Amino acid sequence: MGILVRVVDWVLLLFCLSHLAAIVIFDGQVLFPQLYPQSVKDFAKKTAEEMQDPFSMPNKAPWYLVLTALEVFFKVPILLLAIPAFLVQSARLNYMRIPLIMLAVETITTMLMMTAETIMVDYSKLPYGPKTPEKVNGILAIYIPFMAVALVMLLRAWMTPRMWYGKVKSA
């Protein structure tokens, strides 16, 4: 059981690192475009055009802008705490359970909304978004794993009485 938990924790660490990178590279540009160099803007634009991701295109829905602000101001601080916690895995860091539960629930909620819109909206009549079922599947292949790993994080933090074991040294 111990090795399985360790593997899950490494997957969750990679999730946190990749999620932080995605927020910084893509989502941060939505709120603070003036802070990004042109090369990063071009990379994000090229990726959005190739993927035909409706959430990386112009004309963003107000609900998406709110979720982006949540990611930048809520998720980033938790991710910055979670990354070293998964690396160190000290019994002193068991306080991370509640922030990880919050992070997981917010990620699942966001991914559900984005997945639902990707599936339900007919983008063939819009100037942006996926035009073929293959492009829709490509977008879902990115969002659904994020949702699945967030579910694993939720279960790991919620159902484990202590995230990490070991002696807590008194000061």
Side-chain angles (χ1 to χ4, degrees):
M1 179 86 173
I3 191 79
L4 178 63
V5 170
R6 188 74 172 144
V7 169
V8 166
D9 283 353
W10 279 104
V11 169
L12 295 177
L13 172 65
L14 292 174
F15 167 81
C16 290
L17 288 168
S18 65
H19 210 91
L20 182 62
I23 291 170
V24 169
I25 293 170
F26 296 103
D27 297 340
Q29 289 187 46
V30 173
L31 300 177
F32 308 109
Q34 69 278 9
L35 297 179
Y36 287 84
Q38 192 59 44
S39 59
V40 176
K41 291 177 184 177
D42 293 342
F43 171 73
K45 183 178 179 184
K46 182 180 177 197
T47 303
E49 289 170 355
E50 286 179 11
M51 291 292 302
Q52 295 179 0
D53 184 348
F55 305 106
S56 299
M57 300 290 194
N59 305 325
K60 294 180 179 23
W63 66 264
Y64 180 75
L65 296 174
V66 170
L67 290 179
T68 303
L70 263 176
E71 286 195 341
V72 170
F73 296 111
F74 173 74
K75 274 189 183 177
V76 168
I78 293 176
L79 289 168
L80 291 173
L81 291 172
I83 290 167
F86 280 114
L87 286 171
V88 174
Q89 296 196 344
S90 167
R92 284 183 183 261
L93 300 173
N94 281 310
Y95 66 86
M96 282 302 300
R97 286 183 66 223
I98 301 301
L100 290 174
I101 290 169
M102 294 166 48
L103 175 68
V105 168
E106 196 277 338
T107 301
I108 292 166
T109 304
T110 300
M111 293 297 122
L112 276 173
M113 291 169 52
M114 293 169 73
T115 300
E117 181 153 326
T118 301
I119 292 170
M120 293 178 184
V121 172
D122 181 10
Y123 288 102
S124 64
K125 298 174 180 141
L126 297 173
Y128 61 91
K131 305 295 184 217
T132 66
E134 292 79 20
K135 290 292 185 179
V136 170
N137 291 339
I139 293 167
L140 295 178
I142 294 169
Y143 292 143
I144 290 175
F146 265 96
M147 189 168 35
V149 174
L151 181 60
V152 170
M153 179 184 286
L154 175 63
L155 294 174
R156 167 81 171 97
W158 183 22
M159 307 209 42
T160 308
R162 292 182 59 140
M163 286 292 289
W164 301 290
Y165 291 91
K167 276 187 153 177
V168 176
K169 297 175 186 172
S170 58

